[in-house]
Amino acid sequence: MSILSREGELKKKFQRLTWSFMDPHSTSKARTCKDCHTSAKTLGLGYGILSYQGDGRWLFRSAEKEKSSLLEIDFPLSALTNLRGQRYVYLSRKDLRPFNPEEIKRILRVGLCLDCHSDFSDPVMRNWNPQKICPVFKE
Amino acid sequence: MKFQPRSWVSWGLAASFLLTILTGLVISYPFREEMPLLSTVGIEGVIPFGALFRYLHYYAAQFTFLFLFWHTTEALWARSYQRRHFFHWFLLTSTYPLTILALFTGYIVRGDETGLSAGRIAENLILTLPFFGKILNRLFFAVSEEGIHRAYITHIFLSFVLFFLLGIWHFRLRKIKLEDLSLWATGALALSLLWPPPLEAPHFQTSLKGPWFFLGIQELLRYLPPFGAGIIFPLIPIILLVFFPRAPKRAGWGLLLWHLFYFALLGRGLLR
Amino acid sequence: MKRLVLLFGIGLLLVALVKEGLRKRASQVPVTTSGQVEMCLSCHQERPEKVHSREVIGCSPCHGGDPLRIDKHLAHRGLIKNPADLRVVDYTCGAPSCHPEMPERVKKSLMATNRGIINTLRRYWGEIPENPRFREEDDVAVLLNEKSVSSLALDYFRKLCGSCHLWFEKGKFPDFLGEKGGGCVACHLVPGPKEAKHPRLTRKIPIQNCVRCHNRSGRIGLTYQGLYEDEGYGTPYIEGDFGEPFLVDGRFVREIPADVHFKAGLVCIDCHLAEETMGDGKAYTHFEESVEIECVTCHGGDGTTRKGRKVSGVKKQGNQLVFITKIDAKVLPLKAPDALKCRHKVHRRLSCQACHASRVPQCFGCHVRRDPRQTQLDKISGQETPGAWEEFRSYQRLEEPTLGLKGDKIVILVPG
């Protein structure tokens, strides 16, 4: 927010990015499993590309600049958090939070399996067990 | 020279009283006591010249009341009671509250919100009077049982009886001049054209108000029980008036104080 | 002197006679079915809808004025153009014999107080503590009555948000603002047939009435109907000119797939209960305290909300629950959530919307600027005051929603 002076120059400013929760009222057929389980945007990382590094490690490359001197922020504008669990923005209620790194990794791991076990019609998904180790894909 | 009640006031009183009666006669024809509000509105909005006669009737009646007040004050000031037998004085002064009653019932007869609340309040007040309350209510009001019927009878008979008895006994009816009549008719006409008299619709009411001169008593009802505010308090000036010849000085002060107090209450009631 | 008075009297009499001759008199005294004298009806031909019909109610119980008079200047004293305005509603719509319980309820509701907006705004701007609590003073009614209550955030609220509340005076402001607000009629009024000369009051609130306000911020009113407020302008589509529709306030919208409920014929009031929209008598700070309908109220539930109230559209037909829409009375089947996908234990934290809302408009990098050299209309006081606010954004997208947690529920998070 900027307050100008009578001369039209910047007199006072402050910055605060806040996210809120809502029901968009755009009900439709459910998103696919992959749509959420492989999406950086959905998980709160913002626009960008996620790649699996093996050994449970993920790399996220933001589509936006990490730092914006124009906006004076040092995080991508579309992100809430990063893989290290840093929180970038305020949230409108006390009980709101982005996913934490552990949750993000848990969700993304399911995404790795979806290539072969596409949905709940597959017994692996139906009887999902996080401890189970895939005999085909080397994590 | 000794002070005398001024003749223009006295004849103004007689003339406006006569004017009230004449205009009342006219509007009594379209008036239907079984549907008071409807016919009052009809007189105003449907009947040709109805509004004019209703307005004249209203203002002539207001003149009558104000002249009566002034004439009585002058009579006391002139010590006219000294020239009268006590019984005569008693009869004469009792016409004062009776005239107010005739005026008051006129409001009830109107049947609008002011009239309805005036009727209800008056009925409830007079019923607090032990023994006589019921009889007097049956005689004058009984609005909750019979609508405006009894108030209407009171209004018409009382006005006629008062006017013609006083015309025989207290002043000479024959001596009312056309000049006075036309003068006060002009006054009433001017007021009618400037400020049409009130007729209160039943909506958006947050407080119910009776006739303007009654608001002092309504105001006092906020502080005193009905019997005190509605019976004892208004009886004080009547008693003082009747017994004025016995103790003129004290009664005079009493009346003055009572009226000062009453005007204060009235002012407050009007402002509400 | 006497002659002068007499002459004056004769003059007055002439005036009175001419006046009487020119006076428009009624042919009879109109009376409503309840026996109330209603002289208004002798001139006025307006016909509201059946429930508030002229024969039954007349004009004055709603519009004030003096129903006992025939002269226009007397009859129109104290006339109320919009009886539903919250300033007068206690005496009009809320009269003892009509809807007495409503004014108090509505005045406490969020659409009248805007408490959530005011509270959040002031909190975001650091004017009140971060820890949200109920603040009586965050209320449009307070801003209306106490002009001294002022701050930067409130100045912003007055100028940019101040037209979306029920205290807003209908018809007072120019252009599209004139259509907004008006107390009860902000929602309950629809245009009547031309010959009726009077709009109609309705309980079947069309979606347009809701969207007069609910079209910014989350833009749910637009999204629901399949509209997306896009940046820029409509590319030349039709005869070399802009093809896409514009909103009344000049914003450009693009068509997107509508909500399935909209396609099925449901409008806002099919889901949202009277207690949510008009308040349930309690004063809340935020919408989530007031909203009680959930997806599972109808899908899998028996139509009972989380606060235990019944959704009137849910009815039993045979041994099946159906939904009957309010506006067209369409009978729709109610599907329960998928037993496997929706009820699976791995998805127990998911809200329905997390999967079933496939798109949401997101406005990134919202920026506001106040320029003291210009003036702007304060929509609360109706006065043009120094300081004009402008809104900017970095970019706006119609995108897949970002998810996050509210308590232990996975919900949709958007910037703003």
Side-chain angles (χ1 to χ4, degrees):
Chain A
M1 191 209 48
S2 317
I3 305 290
L4 299 184
S5 69
R6 294 226 157 266
E7 289 71 44
E9 276 150 23
L10 184 68
K11 192 169 108 189
K12 185 179 149 191
K13 68 179 274 181
F14 79 86
Q15 193 149 0
R16 168 175 165 141
L17 283 163
T18 313
W19 284 53
S20 188
F21 72 107
M22 73 173 289
D23 178 345
H25 289 67
S26 60
T27 321
S28 60
K29 282 237 168 304
R31 299 170 66 176
T32 61
C33 309
K34 270 194 171 179
D35 206 17
C36 293
H37 282 278
T38 63
S39 164
K41 171 73 176 58
T42 299
L43 296 178
L45 300 172
Y47 297 113
I49 299 159
L50 268 168
S51 45
Y52 186 57
Q53 306 287 296
D55 227 6
R57 285 177 298 119
W58 289 87
L59 178 72
F60 175 67
R61 277 170 296 157
S62 173
E64 294 178 286
K65 269 178 88 173
E66 294 284 344
K67 273 188 178 116
S68 164
S69 51
L70 180 69
L71 293 172
E72 293 179 37
I73 52 172
D74 52 4
F75 54 87
L77 191 56
S78 57
L80 281 163
T81 183
N82 62 13
L83 284 167
R84 293 184 303 282
Q86 215 178 328
R87 196 189 289 189
Y88 296 137
V89 297
Y90 288 91
L91 287 150
S92 67
R93 304 280 189 276
K94 248 174 40 183
D95 60 348
L96 284 177
R97 65 172 179 88
F99 290 121
N100 60 36
E102 197 238 325
E103 285 164 332
I104 292 176
K105 279 176 193 163
R106 212 160 64 203
I107 296 164
L108 287 174
R109 183 162 173 256
V110 180
L112 291 174
C113 312
L114 286 169
D115 273 334
C116 303
H117 310 282
S118 60
D119 52 38
F120 280 121
S121 62
D122 189 305
V124 170
M125 285 299 161
R126 216 158 45 232
N127 310 307
W128 178 257
N129 176 3
Q131 266 74 50
K132 206 168 195 168
I133 290 163
C134 183
V136 182
F137 180 76
K138 292 284 160 275
E139 282 188 64
Chain B
M1 196 186 130
K2 236 179 90 182
F3 180 79
Q4 285 259 318
R6 277 172 293 186
S7 75
W8 71 268
V9 176
S10 317
W11 287 110
L13 170 56
S16 40
F17 206 151
L18 181 57
L19 214 54
T20 314
I21 285 188
L22 292 176
T23 48
L25 263 173
V26 175
I27 55 174
S28 71
Y29 280 89
F31 184 80
R32 305 281 291 274
E33 56 160 304
E34 69 274 20
M35 38 180 172
L37 179 62
L38 202 79
S39 48
T40 309
V41 173
I43 287 169
E44 235 196 89
V46 179
I47 314 267
F49 296 101
L52 188 63
F53 277 99
R54 183 177 104 74
Y55 295 176
L56 287 175
H57 183 64
Y58 177 87
Y59 278 115
Q62 303 296 323
F63 284 165
T64 309
F65 173 57
L66 295 175
F67 274 132
L68 179 64
F69 181 79
W70 196 237
H71 177 69
T72 312
T73 312
E74 283 191 340
L76 291 175
W77 194 253
R79 297 186 195 149
S80 49
Y81 48 85
Q82 287 174 349
R83 298 190 295 273
R84 285 174 209 280
H85 190 273
F86 180 74
F87 181 65
H88 284 174
W89 176 254
F90 171 77
L91 280 182
L92 198 55
T93 47
S94 63
T95 62
Y96 186 86
L98 288 176
T99 312
I100 293 180
L101 184 62
L103 182 69
F104 189 81
T105 46
Y107 277 85
I108 299 179
V109 165
R110 213 159 79 184
D112 66 343
E113 282 305 295
T114 311
L116 287 176
S117 43
R120 279 187 221 117
I121 298 169
E123 176 164 25
N124 285 314
L125 287 182
I126 208 150
L127 283 175
T128 60
L129 191 70
F131 187 64
F132 293 109
K134 255 192 181 147
I135 300 169
L136 287 175
N137 183 45
R138 284 236 147 256
L139 204 55
F140 298 132
F141 306 116
V143 284
S144 55
E145 288 160 57
E146 302 206 23
I148 63 144
H149 175 66
R150 296 196 178 225
Y152 188 51
I153 300 273
T154 307
H155 183 62
I156 290 189
F157 281 153
L158 202 56
S159 306
F160 272 84
V161 166
L162 276 172
F163 182 74
F164 288 106
L165 284 186
L166 284 167
I168 294 161
W169 173 59
H170 186 60
F171 65 93
R172 277 200 215 136
L173 200 50
R174 289 192 296 137
K175 279 198 170 175
I176 292 187
K177 284 193 216 110
L178 193 63
E179 213 172 72
D180 278 323
L181 271 176
S182 47
L183 175 67
W184 298 112
T186 303
L189 189 59
L191 289 172
S192 304
L193 288 173
L194 286 174
W195 296 287
L199 191 59
E200 211 182 335
H203 307 302
F204 305 142
Q205 294 300 314
T206 46
S207 62
L208 289 171
K209 284 182 178 180
W212 64 271
F213 53 85
F214 189 61
L215 291 182
I217 287 174
Q218 259 186 279
E219 183 65 27
L220 197 64
L221 277 167
R222 289 170 188 271
Y223 314 106
L224 290 182
F227 185 69
I231 304 289
I232 300 286
F233 182 71
L235 263 181
I236 295 173
I238 298 171
I239 290 168
L240 287 176
L241 196 60
V242 171
F243 292 97
F244 202 92
R246 298 285 156 91
K249 219 170 194 173
R250 265 183 278 171
W253 277 108
L255 277 176
L256 185 68
L257 287 175
W258 188 92
H259 278 93
L260 282 177
F261 183 58
Y262 192 77
F263 286 139
L265 285 173
L266 197 61
R268 196 144 177 188
L270 283 169
L271 287 177
R272 266 187 204 281
Chain C
M1 178 70 192
K2 271 178 195 165
R3 224 171 249 178
L4 224 64
V5 174
L6 207 67
L7 233 69
F8 180 62
I10 292 167
L12 278 184
L13 202 62
L14 280 175
V15 172
L17 290 181
V18 170
K19 235 181 133 180
E20 188 65 32
L22 293 175
R23 203 159 170 254
K24 197 184 154 205
R25 280 191 304 271
S27 55
Q28 60 174 37
V29 180
V31 176
T32 62
T33 44
S34 62
Q36 296 290 334
V37 174
E38 210 41 47
M39 283 306 254
C40 323
L41 296 176
S42 62
C43 295
H44 285 277
Q45 304 304 322
E46 284 87 342
R47 296 200 157 271
E49 77 293 341
K50 216 169 150 193
V51 181
H52 298 99
S53 80
R54 56 186 269 129
E55 292 82 7
V56 176
I57 294 180
C59 312
S60 67
C62 305
H63 288 285
D66 190 339
L68 306 182
R69 306 285 193 163
I70 190 87
D71 307 273
K72 191 176 169 187
H73 71 285
L74 294 176
H76 284 196
R77 271 189 311 197
L79 204 64
I80 297 164
K81 190 181 179 206
N82 175 15
D85 192 291
L86 293 191
R87 290 159 194 79
V88 296
V89 79
D90 291 349
Y91 308 107
T92 53
C93 313
S97 49
C98 303
H99 312 281
E101 74 290 358
M102 294 316 294
E104 205 197 330
R105 250 173 79 182
V106 171
K107 284 180 197 172
K108 275 187 181 172
S109 76
L110 283 171
M111 287 202 272
T113 63
N114 275 12
R115 183 167 285 118
I117 303 176
I118 300 174
N119 184 284
T120 310
L121 196 63
R122 302 198 72 183
R123 196 150 51 79
Y124 284 8
W125 290 26
E127 291 179 1
I128 56 171
E130 190 61 33
N131 185 19
R133 64 170 179 89
F134 181 82
R135 285 163 49 88
E136 188 87 47
E137 63 271 38
D138 294 340
D139 186 342
V140 171
V142 174
L143 296 184
L144 269 173
N145 296 328
E146 290 171 43
K147 297 195 170 59
S148 59
V149 181
S150 183
S151 75
L152 220 48
L154 290 176
D155 189 56
Y156 174 86
F157 176 84
R158 283 169 174 277
K159 287 164 181 170
L160 294 197
C161 319
S163 71
C164 279
H165 56 85
L166 295 179
W167 287 96
F168 195 65
E169 271 179 79
K170 197 181 175 80
K172 184 179 174 183
F173 294 91
D175 306 328
F176 70 95
L177 287 178
E179 297 292 312
K180 296 174 81 173
C184 315
V185 299
C187 307
H188 287 283
L189 206 69
V190 292
K194 209 173 170 206
E195 61 278 11
K197 295 182 184 170
H198 194 283
R200 289 167 173 261
L201 291 160
T202 182
R203 292 173 74 189
K204 295 179 176 176
I205 319 287
I207 191 165
Q208 291 79 7
N209 285 14
C210 309
V211 181
R212 265 201 294 269
C213 282
H214 296 271
N215 60 42
R216 294 246 346 179
S217 194
R219 290 160 172 87
I220 51 175
L222 298 179
T223 311
Y224 182 71
Q225 301 176 75
L227 293 171
Y228 165 62
E229 176 195 335
D230 208 349
E231 307 196 76
Y233 50 86
T235 345
Y237 278 124
I238 298 166
E239 293 175 11
D241 211 342
F242 299 143
E244 292 287 348
F246 289 83
L247 298 178
V248 281
D249 55 6
R251 284 178 293 151
F252 158 61
V253 285
R254 185 185 287 285
E255 280 178 33
I256 56 168
D259 190 292
V260 290
H261 298 97
F262 179 77
K263 289 185 200 158
L266 271 72
V267 294
C268 311
I269 54 153
D270 276 309
C271 297
H272 292 292
L273 284 76
E275 284 80 6
E276 296 174 336
T277 51
M278 293 187 277
D280 60 2
K282 295 196 188 85
Y284 297 113
T285 302
H286 294 300
F287 74 95
E288 69 267 27
E289 301 158 41
S290 173
V291 172
E292 55 187 273
I293 185 97
E294 294 168 298
C295 306
V296 293
T297 304
C298 301
H299 297 286
D302 63 350
T304 310
T305 69
R306 68 179 178 91
K307 291 188 186 174
R309 276 185 271 263
K310 280 274 182 201
V311 176
S312 60
V314 178
K315 292 266 154 53
K316 220 174 176 143
Q317 261 188 12
N319 50 5
Q320 213 179 351
L321 282 178
V322 294
F323 192 90
I324 301 172
T325 63
K326 284 208 172 109
I327 296 211
D328 306 323
K330 269 209 268 181
V331 183
L332 304 166
L334 280 173
K335 275 205 296 193
D338 188 288
L340 181 64
K341 295 174 201 160
C342 301
R343 303 284 197 214
H344 200 283
K345 69 177 196 311
V346 297
H347 280 166
R348 66 184 182 279
R349 294 205 298 178
L350 282 176
S351 65
C352 305
Q353 291 89 341
C355 296
H356 285 279
S358 39
R359 63 198 84 81
V360 57
Q362 295 159 64
C363 184
F364 295 95
C366 178
H367 186 90
V368 294
R369 182 176 74 182
R370 186 178 191 270
D371 188 344
R373 293 167 298 177
Q374 295 174 39
T375 60
Q376 199 170 22
L377 186 64
D378 174 341
K379 275 92 184 170
I380 304 277
S381 71
Q383 273 150 9
E384 197 70 33
T385 57
W389 292 92
E390 273 182 288
E391 286 182 312
F392 309 94
R393 59 190 171 215
S394 297
Y395 54 84
Q396 171 146 315
R397 294 288 178 272
L398 179 71
E399 253 286 12
E400 61 180 80
T402 295
L403 304 179
L405 280 112
K406 181 171 185 358
D408 65 346
K409 264 257 148 328
I410 294 172
V411 296
I412 290 169
L413 297 179
V414 291

